[in-house]
Amino acid sequence: MATASVAFKSREDHRKQIELEEARKAGLAPAEVDEDGKEINPHIPQYMSSAPWYLNSERPSLKHQRKWKSDPNYTKSWYDRGAKIFQADKYRKGACQNCGAMTHNAKACMERPRKVGAKWTNKHIAPDEKVETFELDYDGKRDRWNGYDASTYSLVIERYEARDEARRKYLKEQQLKKLEEKNNNQDGETEGGDSDEDVDEDDLRVDEAKVDESKQMDFAKVEKRVRTTGGGSTGTVRNLRIREDIAKYLLNLDVNSAHYDPKTRSMREDPLPDADPNEKFYGGDNQYRNSGQALEFKQLNLHAWEAFDKGQDIHMQAAPSQAELLYKNYKVIKEKLKSQTKDTILNKYGNAASEEEIPRELLLGQTEREVEYDRAGRIIKGQEMALPKSKYEEDVFINNHTTVWGSWWKDHQWGYKCCKQLIRNSYCTGAAGIEAAEAASDLMKANIARKEAGEEPPAPVEEKKLATWGTDIPDDLVLDEKLLAKALKKEDERRREEKDERKRKYNVKWNDEVTPEDMEAYRMKKVHHDDPMKDFL
């Protein structure tokens, strides 16, 4: 018999247990019974979850593996809220000093602290609360709704229904008031023209206002499934589509017009690009993608990508608030830097827009003033026009010069007209300097002419053509027969070495000097691939 493992104190106890089991088998000892008084089948192991089919066991047992017996001390009840057990007439020793109840002390008292406690006044003694203790099982300790009274939820329903009823009543009163005001205004316009038809119409309008509000409020509601991945739950969504609207794919039925994607229901381009923009209500999805907040969001994404590429820890999807804050700071700093750059340029060069208006004489170089001159050029009538001056320095002469730099031009060089010098910081030499410069120039020209006249023209050198690689053979080429035979023999050896590399020597001596005989031997041995008779050579 297989039994559950039991720890024995000694070998003697183990031996007695074995003898008792053998006596039970032989029928000499009473059978073992369980807690319910039923006989335990010795052929069924007590650790099995289910007995075999061939054993007539009433029920399986797993006593050693699970808590099969429930504790009767566990309870499902809950605290009796607000219950009182005893109302005292005077203060008792050990009671709460604030309210006089025996079930708690002054520190745990939930009543408002009195100015003078019940211990000293002996008045308004609070009743004792009903204090209960429960021993809960595993599920009872973790039950969120333990002790919840479902009947209390009816109060919540009643409160919401009362609020909705008050709202409907208020809306109905407002609508009736508007209709009455409208009827009174119409009655004032038609003085004394009341007829039975008008009265009937007024009654009809009042009756329409009294129609059930629930039917009027839900006329534009549609019960539909909320768009979620798994289908989602149902919810009330208002149908905002106007039935007179034309679907975007029906605006232009031309095959080559804007493409419509039925899966995403998007049409990026304008289906009617030639139509009047004041008349068409739809100009393609790109109209909304490139304007308003969509454009700002695109710029925000672009800034986040560029900042991340530059090494800044920013991510638009992971931390959108951080990315938006950084973008705002970036725009503020950018505007500040822009204004600083603008102020620097204005301080350095000035602002032509804010300055005074330029005089007409300086702007156009002409005036309406009339001036008369005589034959000698003297002014007879009027005043001579003053030449406008620019903001640059004018007529500033340095180093004794009487003219400014740039008043003289010669041989693609600027200079001074007073001394005809081409050096910017030179000292003026006046007319003497001009004469000296001209004399030096004449002397140099005379020396060049004399030298050209004394020299004989060089004899023309004939160009000698060498028979080298890639050149044609000259007509006056003379070859040595012995050297040519050696060159042919040398060319044959070179070709044999190219065919069989085993004949190449270890130490190769290279000679890069090519003689006309070597060149002729190469031409004689060369195979001409475009020669039709090369196979017969």
Side-chain angles (χ1 to χ4, degrees), residues 179-195 197-203 205:
L179 285 173
E180 289 176 0
E181 291 177 357
K182 191 174 181 181
N183 293 336
N184 294 333
N185 294 334
Q186 290 179 358
D187 294 342
E189 291 177 359
T190 59
E191 298 176 355
D194 294 339
S195 61
E197 296 180 357
D198 295 338
V199 173
D200 294 340
E201 288 180 1
D202 294 341
D203 295 339
R205 288 171 185 167

Side-chain angles (χ1 to χ4, degrees), residues 4-70:
S5 60
V6 181
F8 298 100
K9 295 182 178 179
S10 62
R11 289 189 177 183
E12 185 66 23
D13 295 339
H14 192 198
R15 186 180 62 78
K16 288 180 180 179
Q17 181 68 23
I18 294 173
E19 290 177 356
L20 180 61
E21 290 176 358
E22 290 178 353
R24 284 172 179 167
K25 287 181 183 179
L28 301 176
E32 187 180 3
V33 295
D34 57 6
E35 287 80 356
D36 298 334
K38 294 184 179 181
E39 184 179 351
I40 296 176
N41 192 341
H43 300 287
I44 300 177
Q46 297 303 308
Y47 54 81
M48 291 176 60
S49 62
S50 60
W53 61 272
Y54 51 83
L55 292 177
N56 296 325
S57 173
E58 295 183 1
R59 60 188 181 88
S61 175
L62 281 176
K63 296 180 183 179
H64 65 289
Q65 290 188 10
R66 63 183 176 85
K67 195 172 183 180
W68 58 275
K69 187 176 181 181
S70 61

